[in-house]
Amino acid sequence: MNNINTDARTLQARFLHLRENKIFETFVILVIVLSALVIGAKTYPIPPTVMQVFHVLDTAITVFFLVEVLIRMVAEGSLIRFFRRGWNVFDFVIVVASLVPVEDSEVALLGRLLRIFRVLRLVSIIPELRVLLSAFVKAIPRMGYVSLLMFIIFYIYAAMGAMFFSKINPELWDNITISMLTLFRVATFEDWTDVMYETMAVYPLSWAFYLSFIFIVAFVFLNMMIGIVLETLQQEHEEFSRETGEGEAGEVHWIRDHTEAMEQRLARMERLLEEMNARR
Amino acid sequence: MNNINTDARTLQARFLHLRENKIFETFVILVIVLSALVIGAKTYPIPPTVMQVFHVLDTAITVFFLVEVLIRMVAEGSLIRFFRRGWNVFDFVIVVASLVPVEDSEVALLGRLLRIFRVLRLVSIIPELRVLLSAFVKAIPRMGYVSLLMFIIFYIYAAMGAMFFSKINPELWDNITISMLTLFRVATFEDWTDVMYETMAVYPLSWAFYLSFIFIVAFVFLNMMIGIVLETLQQEHEEFSRETGEGEAGEVHWIRDHTEAMEQRLARMERLLEEMNARR
Amino acid sequence: MNNINTDARTLQARFLHLRENKIFETFVILVIVLSALVIGAKTYPIPPTVMQVFHVLDTAITVFFLVEVLIRMVAEGSLIRFFRRGWNVFDFVIVVASLVPVEDSEVALLGRLLRIFRVLRLVSIIPELRVLLSAFVKAIPRMGYVSLLMFIIFYIYAAMGAMFFSKINPELWDNITISMLTLFRVATFEDWTDVMYETMAVYPLSWAFYLSFIFIVAFVFLNMMIGIVLETLQQEHEEFSRETGEGEAGEVHWIRDHTEAMEQRLARMERLLEEMNARR
Amino acid sequence: MNNINTDARTLQARFLHLRENKIFETFVILVIVLSALVIGAKTYPIPPTVMQVFHVLDTAITVFFLVEVLIRMVAEGSLIRFFRRGWNVFDFVIVVASLVPVEDSEVALLGRLLRIFRVLRLVSIIPELRVLLSAFVKAIPRMGYVSLLMFIIFYIYAAMGAMFFSKINPELWDNITISMLTLFRVATFEDWTDVMYETMAVYPLSWAFYLSFIFIVAFVFLNMMIGIVLETLQQEHEEFSRETGEGEAGEVHWIRDHTEAMEQRLARMERLLEEMNARR
């Protein structure tokens, strides 16, 4: 019993060693890139024999990813500790999802779709990309309320658009969902004048609808961008001052306190000198 | 008489309590979202029976909003105090405006239009959105003069455009208003080359008109953006220094003054010592 | 003789008084706005009788502007002093230019064109707009070398485009001038894929030409924008530190010097004390 | 033998003198501009006689550039030292590349293409442009990982696009390469709604594909831009503090240390005074 336990521990240590091996990591990256290339190659017309090769490759990659995740699980020692880190969950979901068979014609499309997301494993394995993605995820809540405001603006304009223009061109303004899509198109300046000229033929003043919409959306977007820049700048500044800047401010404060102490001492000394002088 | 007064006060206190109730606030938000959904749903083709339901819902929401505003009025205690806060005026106008009946076929469209603006009440009830909107309103005067400059540029170019190109394509350049709309289209890069190629067929050098316009507008816009960023940065900086930065500067100033006092004291002490030494 | 001189001086003083009168300034602004409105109104089809009114108005405005500039000349006292200020030259040129008659059919178009620029006098008379324009003019040299680099990039790509694509579509790539215009269109993303697909039919790899061009131009533009922001920030910072910041830095330097002097004095005093103590 | 060595050294000194001559540099710039004009002029239809003149000019410019590079080589004294500076390699490659003859019909196109890059020599000879280009080259690695992330996003969306939409429009979605080009088009908002409406006819929910793509790409781009601005700001700040700011911080540190020393000295002095006072 003890023997088995020792064996398990040795195995775990060996797996840990393997996981942290630089060559192993490079190999994993190469396999991910290979899987990406296979995904890309499959979008070209390929002869059946090559397809067979791809099929074997695909199975091999799937098995390899499964084994790699299992190695990391064992190396971690405990399932709870493994799943506590978000990136492990991320990898696990992608690996399990790509176990969906592609042979079965019904779920084949889903299987192929899920295999595409294996390319995302590049993000979880390269530290620099992980940092970038974390920064993006952190910025999402900041944008939350601005996005809500933007949505309200789109909703109001879309409701107005659907109310007035639905009979002019049902393809663009039939209901609130289609109207919002049309307004998004206007916000990207994509053939927005065609949309405008069409409604201006019926309502000559409808240019005010489009221009006010473009101004408001551009303005909200501009403010959002500036807000993000300012918030990020402030965070950087605070971190910077916490590390080095407070050094100077702290020293100045130290000097202030000690200057006060010195003054008191000097006052005492002067009094002493005066006494000595007077006594003589 | 006194009894009635006490009753009124009790009622007011109860309304104040209700207004500040978190559950009541959530309920108001839900009703606003519901009213927004009803507005959106009405843009789809709906069977008459469902329409009836919507009609009842609409009346219920209108009555609810009216009651809610009245509760807040009573809770505030005085009409003047109620209308002094901009957001209350905002809410009151929206609620009163949606009292316009939608049955009467003549003003039905107006009634429906005014109901759409009820979605804006989301902005007045969610504090974070209120902060965002206040920031936007504050930024408007800053942009005033830049907008005026932009308008002058558009006006001059539109006058030139109407003068030279009105015979080439009256749809785009017939008079100064249409010309300004066409120039706004050029500024958004929307099929602007079609506009240019058309006039270049008559005036081969008219590309200079469009390119100079694009450069000037882009330049003014760029400067406006930078101006806003700088002004906001400066405001942040001033607020920051008022809170913490002046601390350091103030301490340095304190040290300077006290160092001066210490020097004078030391000079006096040295003189005393020299005297004592000489006398001996 | 002396009498005339005094009269002239009185007249000058009166004109100076008039020029600095707030009501007079408002009146000048109103006349400029009126002249702008006349210019705009003329782009609409107008009956001959109204045209006559406009004609009289136009003459009146021209005369008024001439008189106003003459008043400012006299008020200034000397022609050299008047022309030394750029904004005066600006106004003088605009006023003189609009003296070109609009009756003569040959130069009528030029006369009308020059009258449009009278709207620019709004910029010279409103101080805030004057500040904005000065800031723009100051930013031009900063952009000089970046514009030169941009021009070189456009020139090289245009030369390549004219060399390879001129036979595919002479309208877009016939010579280097037209090619540069086409590339500017590509840079504004205006129907650039139509241009690309056309050449890709002959040279399937020509997408690399367009993509590299878009990336380089976007990159140079991005850097230019950041460069301007940084330079403006630095200028603001320097001005700020010159006014207040150097205060702190200067005080710290002052403290450093005086601390050194205090130390020397204290060393002298300690030596004195030790001598006194030893002698006893 | 010694004589020859002296001659060589004299020649080298003379060449060095010539290279650093301001007039010579201006002349080189003029020749580069002339070569650029010749390149541009050749894109126009020109009579054979003028073509002959251009041909002679072209040969003259090629020879001049060759001689100029040789002069700089000799002036530098050693080939290794010459090639150690990147800009020299840059110039050498451009000059050698333009030695490819344009007569031979087979490589004529290549020869003409290489001649176009001679315009780039303007960048290497004007110091301000050299600084700009260096700044651009320095910014490239910063953008590396963001570009990689962007590529992964494009790759995943392109794989999905090719999988689902290839049968709808093979011209846009046939394989992963064409799909990526189509997605780049969508990212530049160029007729992206045409692409979307086409696929929405088959998959009504495919708008989610385009909108999510646009949001993610815009978001990554926005973050990249802010990242670059912040990094550049930080670099500027560090350089600034290294030059002047650490001056203040350094002085404060100096004052702190010396205040400590003064305190110790004062403590010694007070003890001495007290002893003297007690002994009496």
mmCIF file of all heavy atoms in Angstrom, chain A residues 36 43-44 109 136 143 188 190 233 236 248 251 258 262 265 268 272 279, chain D residues 155 163 174-177 191-193 219 230 234 248 253 262-263 270 277:
data_model
loop_
_atom_site.group_PDB
_atom_site.id
_atom_site.type_symbol
_atom_site.label_atom_id
_atom_site.label_comp_id
_atom_site.label_asym_id
_atom_site.label_seq_id
_atom_site.Cartn_x
_atom_site.Cartn_y
_atom_site.Cartn_z
ATOM 1 N N ALA A 36 -3.651 24.038 -35.815
ATOM 2 C CA ALA A 36 -4.190 25.219 -36.496
ATOM 3 C C ALA A 36 -4.010 25.091 -38.002
ATOM 4 O O ALA A 36 -4.923 25.396 -38.782
ATOM 5 C CB ALA A 36 -3.494 26.483 -35.983
ATOM 6 N N THR A 43 -9.852 23.824 -45.130
ATOM 7 C CA THR A 43 -10.767 24.721 -45.833
ATOM 8 C C THR A 43 -10.460 24.763 -47.327
ATOM 9 O O THR A 43 -11.215 25.340 -48.096
ATOM 10 C CB THR A 43 -10.698 26.160 -45.271
ATOM 11 O OG1 THR A 43 -9.394 26.680 -45.506
ATOM 12 C CG2 THR A 43 -10.984 26.187 -43.779
ATOM 13 N N TYR A 44 -9.321 24.127 -47.739
ATOM 14 C CA TYR A 44 -9.001 24.024 -49.164
ATOM 15 C C TYR A 44 -9.559 22.695 -49.675
ATOM 16 O O TYR A 44 -9.710 21.744 -48.899
ATOM 17 C CB TYR A 44 -7.491 24.057 -49.369
ATOM 18 C CG TYR A 44 -6.869 25.417 -49.130
ATOM 19 C CD1 TYR A 44 -6.379 25.755 -47.877
ATOM 20 C CD2 TYR A 44 -6.766 26.344 -50.163
ATOM 21 C CE1 TYR A 44 -5.810 27.003 -47.649
ATOM 22 C CE2 TYR A 44 -6.198 27.584 -49.945
ATOM 23 C CZ TYR A 44 -5.722 27.912 -48.690
ATOM 24 O OH TYR A 44 -5.170 29.130 -48.477
ATOM 25 N N LEU A 109 -20.303 18.996 -37.890
ATOM 26 C CA LEU A 109 -20.060 20.438 -38.023
ATOM 27 C C LEU A 109 -19.686 21.036 -36.667
ATOM 28 O O LEU A 109 -18.744 21.825 -36.570
ATOM 29 C CB LEU A 109 -21.319 21.104 -38.580
ATOM 30 C CG LEU A 109 -21.058 22.347 -39.415
ATOM 31 C CD1 LEU A 109 -20.314 22.006 -40.681
ATOM 32 C CD2 LEU A 109 -22.362 23.029 -39.773
ATOM 33 N N PHE A 136 -7.486 42.666 -21.099
ATOM 34 C CA PHE A 136 -8.749 42.878 -21.799
ATOM 35 C C PHE A 136 -9.916 42.540 -20.882
ATOM 36 O O PHE A 136 -10.881 43.286 -20.794
ATOM 37 C CB PHE A 136 -8.826 42.005 -23.049
ATOM 38 C CG PHE A 136 -7.828 42.388 -24.074
ATOM 39 C CD1 PHE A 136 -7.510 41.537 -25.117
ATOM 40 C CD2 PHE A 136 -7.167 43.614 -24.009
ATOM 41 C CE1 PHE A 136 -6.585 41.895 -26.067
ATOM 42 C CE2 PHE A 136 -6.234 43.975 -24.964
ATOM 43 C CZ PHE A 136 -5.946 43.103 -25.983
ATOM 44 N N MET A 143 -16.172 49.195 -19.111
ATOM 45 C CA MET A 143 -16.954 49.557 -20.290
ATOM 46 C C MET A 143 -18.421 49.211 -20.113
ATOM 47 O O MET A 143 -19.245 49.574 -20.963
ATOM 48 C CB MET A 143 -16.408 48.805 -21.503
ATOM 49 C CG MET A 143 -14.982 49.163 -21.817
ATOM 50 S SD MET A 143 -14.552 48.511 -23.434
ATOM 51 C CE MET A 143 -12.887 49.158 -23.590
ATOM 52 N N THR A 188 -21.082 52.662 -38.358
ATOM 53 C CA THR A 188 -19.798 52.350 -38.986
ATOM 54 C C THR A 188 -19.648 53.089 -40.315
ATOM 55 O O THR A 188 -18.710 52.809 -41.056
ATOM 56 C CB THR A 188 -19.656 50.839 -39.233
ATOM 57 O OG1 THR A 188 -20.677 50.437 -40.148
ATOM 58 C CG2 THR A 188 -19.780 50.047 -37.956
ATOM 59 N N GLU A 190 -21.139 52.757 -43.005
ATOM 60 C CA GLU A 190 -21.195 51.862 -44.162
ATOM 61 C C GLU A 190 -22.444 52.155 -44.994
ATOM 62 O O GLU A 190 -23.551 51.765 -44.608
ATOM 63 C CB GLU A 190 -21.134 50.416 -43.667
ATOM 64 C CG GLU A 190 -21.582 49.358 -44.638
ATOM 65 C CD GLU A 190 -20.905 49.441 -45.977
ATOM 66 O OE1 GLU A 190 -19.905 50.159 -46.108
ATOM 67 O OE2 GLU A 190 -21.407 48.820 -46.910
ATOM 68 N N LEU A 233 -4.147 55.485 -17.059
ATOM 69 C CA LEU A 233 -3.051 56.380 -16.694
ATOM 70 C C LEU A 233 -2.981 56.536 -15.178
ATOM 71 O O LEU A 233 -1.906 56.477 -14.584
ATOM 72 C CB LEU A 233 -3.262 57.760 -17.323
ATOM 73 C CG LEU A 233 -2.689 57.967 -18.704
ATOM 74 C CD1 LEU A 233 -3.107 59.318 -19.243
ATOM 75 C CD2 LEU A 233 -1.181 57.863 -18.687
ATOM 76 N N GLU A 236 -1.620 53.419 -13.501
ATOM 77 C CA GLU A 236 -0.172 53.370 -13.691
ATOM 78 C C GLU A 236 0.512 54.322 -12.717
ATOM 79 O O GLU A 236 1.511 53.999 -12.080
ATOM 80 C CB GLU A 236 0.198 53.793 -15.118
ATOM 81 C CG GLU A 236 -0.301 52.886 -16.198
ATOM 82 C CD GLU A 236 0.727 51.820 -16.548
ATOM 83 O OE1 GLU A 236 1.911 52.161 -16.640
ATOM 84 O OE2 GLU A 236 0.333 50.650 -16.695
ATOM 85 N N GLU A 248 10.239 59.800 -2.329
ATOM 86 C CA GLU A 248 10.589 61.209 -2.191
ATOM 87 C C GLU A 248 9.689 61.891 -1.167
ATOM 88 O O GLU A 248 10.163 62.569 -0.264
ATOM 89 C CB GLU A 248 10.470 61.908 -3.547
ATOM 90 C CG GLU A 248 11.114 63.282 -3.530
ATOM 91 C CD GLU A 248 10.875 64.037 -4.816
ATOM 92 O OE1 GLU A 248 10.948 63.416 -5.884
ATOM 93 O OE2 GLU A 248 10.615 65.247 -4.749
ATOM 94 N N GLU A 251 10.613 60.931 2.262
ATOM 95 C CA GLU A 251 11.851 61.567 2.724
ATOM 96 C C GLU A 251 11.608 63.019 3.129
ATOM 97 O O GLU A 251 12.138 63.489 4.140
ATOM 98 C CB GLU A 251 12.919 61.492 1.622
ATOM 99 C CG GLU A 251 13.519 60.098 1.511
ATOM 100 C CD GLU A 251 14.821 60.102 0.732
ATOM 101 O OE1 GLU A 251 14.995 60.971 -0.138
ATOM 102 O OE2 GLU A 251 15.669 59.243 0.998
ATOM 103 N N HIS A 258 12.349 65.926 11.418
ATOM 104 C CA HIS A 258 13.664 66.055 12.042
ATOM 105 C C HIS A 258 14.105 67.512 12.128
ATOM 106 O O HIS A 258 14.833 67.882 13.051
ATOM 107 C CB HIS A 258 14.678 65.185 11.298
ATOM 108 C CG HIS A 258 14.513 63.741 11.628
ATOM 109 N ND1 HIS A 258 15.438 63.012 12.329
ATOM 110 C CD2 HIS A 258 13.478 62.893 11.402
ATOM 111 C CE1 HIS A 258 15.009 61.785 12.501
ATOM 112 N NE2 HIS A 258 13.812 61.678 11.935
ATOM 113 N N MET A 262 15.334 69.347 15.505
ATOM 114 C CA MET A 262 16.575 70.120 15.540
ATOM 115 C C MET A 262 16.328 71.519 16.073
ATOM 116 O O MET A 262 17.145 72.053 16.842
ATOM 117 C CB MET A 262 17.184 70.205 14.132
ATOM 118 C CG MET A 262 18.270 69.186 13.883
ATOM 119 S SD MET A 262 18.552 68.992 12.104
ATOM 120 C CE MET A 262 19.180 70.613 11.707
ATOM 121 N N ARG A 265 16.021 71.448 19.827
ATOM 122 C CA ARG A 265 17.327 71.249 20.441
ATOM 123 C C ARG A 265 18.150 72.544 20.412
ATOM 124 O O ARG A 265 18.784 72.934 21.400
ATOM 125 C CB ARG A 265 18.092 70.142 19.699
ATOM 126 C CG ARG A 265 19.402 69.762 20.371
ATOM 127 C CD ARG A 265 20.228 68.888 19.455
ATOM 128 N NE ARG A 265 19.632 67.580 19.218
ATOM 129 C CZ ARG A 265 19.822 66.519 20.000
ATOM 130 N NH1 ARG A 265 20.580 66.622 21.084
ATOM 131 N NH2 ARG A 265 19.280 65.355 19.708
ATOM 132 N N ARG A 268 17.007 74.952 22.993
ATOM 133 C CA ARG A 268 17.567 74.595 24.304
ATOM 134 C C ARG A 268 19.018 75.044 24.428
ATOM 135 O O ARG A 268 19.433 75.598 25.446
ATOM 136 C CB ARG A 268 17.504 73.069 24.496
ATOM 137 C CG ARG A 268 16.123 72.530 24.796
ATOM 138 C CD ARG A 268 16.200 71.155 25.431
ATOM 139 N NE ARG A 268 16.952 70.187 24.655
ATOM 140 C CZ ARG A 268 16.433 69.433 23.669
ATOM 141 N NH1 ARG A 268 15.158 69.549 23.351
ATOM 142 N NH2 ARG A 268 17.185 68.567 23.015
ATOM 143 N N LEU A 272 20.876 77.747 27.024
ATOM 144 C CA LEU A 272 22.028 77.358 27.837
ATOM 145 C C LEU A 272 23.183 78.345 27.685
ATOM 146 O O LEU A 272 23.771 78.817 28.666
ATOM 147 C CB LEU A 272 22.505 75.968 27.388
ATOM 148 C CG LEU A 272 22.317 74.825 28.407
ATOM 149 C CD1 LEU A 272 22.442 73.477 27.727
ATOM 150 C CD2 LEU A 272 23.351 74.972 29.530
ATOM 151 N N ARG A 279 25.784 84.471 33.496
ATOM 152 C CA ARG A 279 26.317 84.121 34.792
ATOM 153 C C ARG A 279 27.748 84.646 35.014
ATOM 154 O O ARG A 279 28.180 84.903 36.119
ATOM 155 C CB ARG A 279 26.338 82.597 34.915
ATOM 156 C CG ARG A 279 25.882 82.174 36.297
ATOM 157 C CD ARG A 279 25.953 80.707 36.434
ATOM 158 N NE ARG A 279 25.143 80.035 35.438
ATOM 159 C CZ ARG A 279 25.302 78.721 35.169
ATOM 160 N NH1 ARG A 279 26.221 78.027 35.811
ATOM 161 N NH2 ARG A 279 24.567 78.173 34.270
ATOM 162 N N TYR D 155 -7.662 34.270 -37.565
ATOM 163 C CA TYR D 155 -7.555 32.872 -38.012
ATOM 164 C C TYR D 155 -8.789 32.076 -37.597
ATOM 165 O O TYR D 155 -9.385 31.360 -38.400
ATOM 166 C CB TYR D 155 -6.287 32.258 -37.425
ATOM 167 C CG TYR D 155 -5.823 31.010 -38.138
ATOM 168 C CD1 TYR D 155 -4.970 31.092 -39.229
ATOM 169 C CD2 TYR D 155 -6.241 29.753 -37.735
ATOM 170 C CE1 TYR D 155 -4.545 29.957 -39.887
ATOM 171 C CE2 TYR D 155 -5.828 28.600 -38.385
ATOM 172 C CZ TYR D 155 -4.975 28.720 -39.467
ATOM 173 O OH TYR D 155 -4.566 27.595 -40.129
ATOM 174 N N MET D 163 -15.733 27.527 -43.100
ATOM 175 C CA MET D 163 -16.496 26.309 -42.826
ATOM 176 C C MET D 163 -17.977 26.482 -43.156
ATOM 177 O O MET D 163 -18.593 25.615 -43.784
ATOM 178 C CB MET D 163 -16.336 25.991 -41.343
ATOM 179 C CG MET D 163 -16.492 24.545 -40.984
ATOM 180 S SD MET D 163 -15.957 24.338 -39.261
ATOM 181 C CE MET D 163 -17.529 24.041 -38.500
ATOM 182 N N ASP D 174 -13.999 31.017 -49.831
ATOM 183 C CA ASP D 174 -13.623 29.704 -50.350
ATOM 184 C C ASP D 174 -12.660 28.958 -49.425
ATOM 185 O O ASP D 174 -12.845 27.778 -49.142
ATOM 186 C CB ASP D 174 -13.002 29.846 -51.744
ATOM 187 C CG ASP D 174 -12.967 28.514 -52.464
ATOM 188 O OD1 ASP D 174 -13.833 27.682 -52.150
ATOM 189 O OD2 ASP D 174 -12.089 28.301 -53.313
ATOM 190 N N ASN D 175 -11.597 29.614 -49.000
ATOM 191 C CA ASN D 175 -10.655 28.966 -48.077
ATOM 192 C C ASN D 175 -10.198 29.976 -47.029
ATOM 193 O O ASN D 175 -10.604 31.134 -47.052
ATOM 194 C CB ASN D 175 -9.466 28.375 -48.848
ATOM 195 C CG ASN D 175 -8.780 29.417 -49.695
ATOM 196 O OD1 ASN D 175 -8.416 30.479 -49.204
ATOM 197 N ND2 ASN D 175 -8.629 29.127 -50.973
ATOM 198 N N ILE D 176 -9.338 29.519 -46.126
ATOM 199 C CA ILE D 176 -8.994 30.354 -44.965
ATOM 200 C C ILE D 176 -8.260 31.638 -45.361
ATOM 201 O O ILE D 176 -8.444 32.687 -44.732
ATOM 202 C CB ILE D 176 -8.189 29.520 -43.938
ATOM 203 C CG1 ILE D 176 -8.311 30.152 -42.553
ATOM 204 C CG2 ILE D 176 -6.738 29.366 -44.356
ATOM 205 C CD1 ILE D 176 -7.985 29.207 -41.435
ATOM 206 N N THR D 177 -7.469 31.613 -46.444
ATOM 207 C CA THR D 177 -6.733 32.813 -46.862
ATOM 208 C C THR D 177 -7.701 33.884 -47.361
ATOM 209 O O THR D 177 -7.645 35.039 -46.936
ATOM 210 C CB THR D 177 -5.731 32.474 -47.992
ATOM 211 O OG1 THR D 177 -5.140 31.221 -47.713
ATOM 212 C CG2 THR D 177 -4.671 33.537 -48.118
ATOM 213 N N ASP D 191 -17.972 48.018 -47.198
ATOM 214 C CA ASP D 191 -19.100 47.232 -47.719
ATOM 215 C C ASP D 191 -19.316 45.952 -46.924
ATOM 216 O O ASP D 191 -19.681 44.916 -47.487
ATOM 217 C CB ASP D 191 -18.864 46.883 -49.212
ATOM 218 C CG ASP D 191 -19.275 48.027 -50.122
ATOM 219 O OD1 ASP D 191 -19.953 48.949 -49.632
ATOM 220 O OD2 ASP D 191 -18.917 47.991 -51.309
ATOM 221 N N TRP D 192 -19.111 46.020 -45.611
ATOM 222 C CA TRP D 192 -19.221 44.809 -44.790
ATOM 223 C C TRP D 192 -20.679 44.345 -44.676
ATOM 224 O O TRP D 192 -20.921 43.153 -44.483
ATOM 225 C CB TRP D 192 -18.606 45.017 -43.419
ATOM 226 C CG TRP D 192 -19.343 45.961 -42.505
ATOM 227 C CD1 TRP D 192 -19.195 47.303 -42.441
ATOM 228 C CD2 TRP D 192 -20.326 45.618 -41.528
ATOM 229 N NE1 TRP D 192 -20.027 47.834 -41.492
ATOM 230 C CE2 TRP D 192 -20.730 46.813 -40.910
ATOM 231 C CE3 TRP D 192 -20.908 44.432 -41.107
ATOM 232 C CZ2 TRP D 192 -21.692 46.853 -39.906
ATOM 233 C CZ3 TRP D 192 -21.858 44.467 -40.103
ATOM 234 C CH2 TRP D 192 -22.248 45.671 -39.518
ATOM 235 N N THR D 193 -21.630 45.281 -44.809
ATOM 236 C CA THR D 193 -23.033 44.864 -44.702
ATOM 237 C C THR D 193 -23.445 44.012 -45.900
ATOM 238 O O THR D 193 -24.258 43.103 -45.761
ATOM 239 C CB THR D 193 -23.957 46.083 -44.590
ATOM 240 O OG1 THR D 193 -23.591 47.046 -45.566
ATOM 241 C CG2 THR D 193 -23.868 46.705 -43.222
ATOM 242 N N PHE D 219 -11.814 46.382 -30.040
ATOM 243 C CA PHE D 219 -11.378 46.393 -28.650
ATOM 244 C C PHE D 219 -9.868 46.127 -28.553
ATOM 245 O O PHE D 219 -9.150 46.854 -27.856
ATOM 246 C CB PHE D 219 -12.164 45.324 -27.895
ATOM 247 C CG PHE D 219 -12.019 45.417 -26.420
ATOM 248 C CD1 PHE D 219 -12.369 46.584 -25.758
ATOM 249 C CD2 PHE D 219 -11.535 44.351 -25.694
ATOM 250 C CE1 PHE D 219 -12.227 46.668 -24.390
ATOM 251 C CE2 PHE D 219 -11.393 44.433 -24.326
ATOM 252 C CZ PHE D 219 -11.742 45.586 -23.670
ATOM 253 N N LEU D 230 0.716 54.660 -23.499
ATOM 254 C CA LEU D 230 1.183 54.563 -22.118
ATOM 255 C C LEU D 230 2.663 54.237 -22.051
ATOM 256 O O LEU D 230 3.413 54.841 -21.291
ATOM 257 C CB LEU D 230 0.391 53.491 -21.375
ATOM 258 C CG LEU D 230 -1.014 53.908 -20.965
ATOM 259 C CD1 LEU D 230 -1.698 52.789 -20.233
ATOM 260 C CD2 LEU D 230 -0.935 55.138 -20.079
ATOM 261 N N GLN D 234 5.550 56.534 -20.483
ATOM 262 C CA GLN D 234 6.392 56.066 -19.389
ATOM 263 C C GLN D 234 7.872 56.229 -19.738
ATOM 264 O O GLN D 234 8.668 56.684 -18.924
ATOM 265 C CB GLN D 234 6.073 54.603 -19.121
ATOM 266 C CG GLN D 234 6.470 54.164 -17.725
ATOM 267 C CD GLN D 234 5.877 52.803 -17.407
ATOM 268 O OE1 GLN D 234 4.751 52.534 -17.781
ATOM 269 N NE2 GLN D 234 6.645 51.977 -16.737
ATOM 270 N N GLU D 248 15.913 66.459 -8.355
ATOM 271 C CA GLU D 248 15.175 66.846 -7.160
ATOM 272 C C GLU D 248 15.185 65.732 -6.134
ATOM 273 O O GLU D 248 15.506 65.950 -4.960
ATOM 274 C CB GLU D 248 13.738 67.210 -7.532
ATOM 275 C CG GLU D 248 13.015 67.914 -6.396
ATOM 276 C CD GLU D 248 11.550 68.134 -6.690
ATOM 277 O OE1 GLU D 248 11.237 68.492 -7.824
ATOM 278 O OE2 GLU D 248 10.740 67.939 -5.781
ATOM 279 N N HIS D 253 17.252 63.413 -1.097
ATOM 280 C CA HIS D 253 17.989 62.342 -0.409
ATOM 281 C C HIS D 253 19.250 62.890 0.269
ATOM 282 O O HIS D 253 19.569 62.537 1.406
ATOM 283 C CB HIS D 253 18.356 61.251 -1.417
ATOM 284 C CG HIS D 253 18.813 60.002 -0.757
ATOM 285 N ND1 HIS D 253 17.954 59.128 -0.141
ATOM 286 C CD2 HIS D 253 20.058 59.487 -0.572
ATOM 287 C CE1 HIS D 253 18.629 58.133 0.373
ATOM 288 N NE2 HIS D 253 19.909 58.321 0.130
ATOM 289 N N MET D 262 23.830 66.363 10.844
ATOM 290 C CA MET D 262 23.722 67.583 11.641
ATOM 291 C C MET D 262 23.132 67.302 13.012
ATOM 292 O O MET D 262 23.568 67.867 14.022
ATOM 293 C CB MET D 262 22.848 68.605 10.907
ATOM 294 C CG MET D 262 23.640 69.626 10.112
ATOM 295 S SD MET D 262 22.574 70.420 8.881
ATOM 296 C CE MET D 262 21.460 71.302 9.958
ATOM 297 N N GLU D 263 22.141 66.434 13.037
ATOM 298 C CA GLU D 263 21.513 66.091 14.305
ATOM 299 C C GLU D 263 22.500 65.467 15.270
ATOM 300 O O GLU D 263 22.520 65.787 16.464
ATOM 301 C CB GLU D 263 20.355 65.114 14.058
ATOM 302 C CG GLU D 263 19.104 65.813 13.574
ATOM 303 C CD GLU D 263 17.889 64.974 13.845
ATOM 304 O OE1 GLU D 263 17.898 63.797 13.433
ATOM 305 O OE2 GLU D 263 16.942 65.474 14.461
ATOM 306 N N GLU D 270 25.421 69.704 22.335
ATOM 307 C CA GLU D 270 24.575 69.958 23.493
ATOM 308 C C GLU D 270 25.175 69.289 24.728
ATOM 309 O O GLU D 270 25.200 69.870 25.829
ATOM 310 C CB GLU D 270 23.155 69.443 23.237
ATOM 311 C CG GLU D 270 22.151 69.981 24.242
ATOM 312 C CD GLU D 270 20.729 69.551 23.943
ATOM 313 O OE1 GLU D 270 20.546 68.555 23.210
ATOM 314 O OE2 GLU D 270 19.807 70.217 24.423
ATOM 315 N N ASN D 277 28.488 73.579 31.540
ATOM 316 C CA ASN D 277 27.596 74.279 32.445
ATOM 317 C C ASN D 277 27.624 73.632 33.833
ATOM 318 O O ASN D 277 27.645 74.335 34.857
ATOM 319 C CB ASN D 277 26.178 74.245 31.873
ATOM 320 C CG ASN D 277 25.302 75.308 32.492
ATOM 321 O OD1 ASN D 277 25.824 76.325 32.952
ATOM 322 N ND2 ASN D 277 24.016 75.069 32.521
#
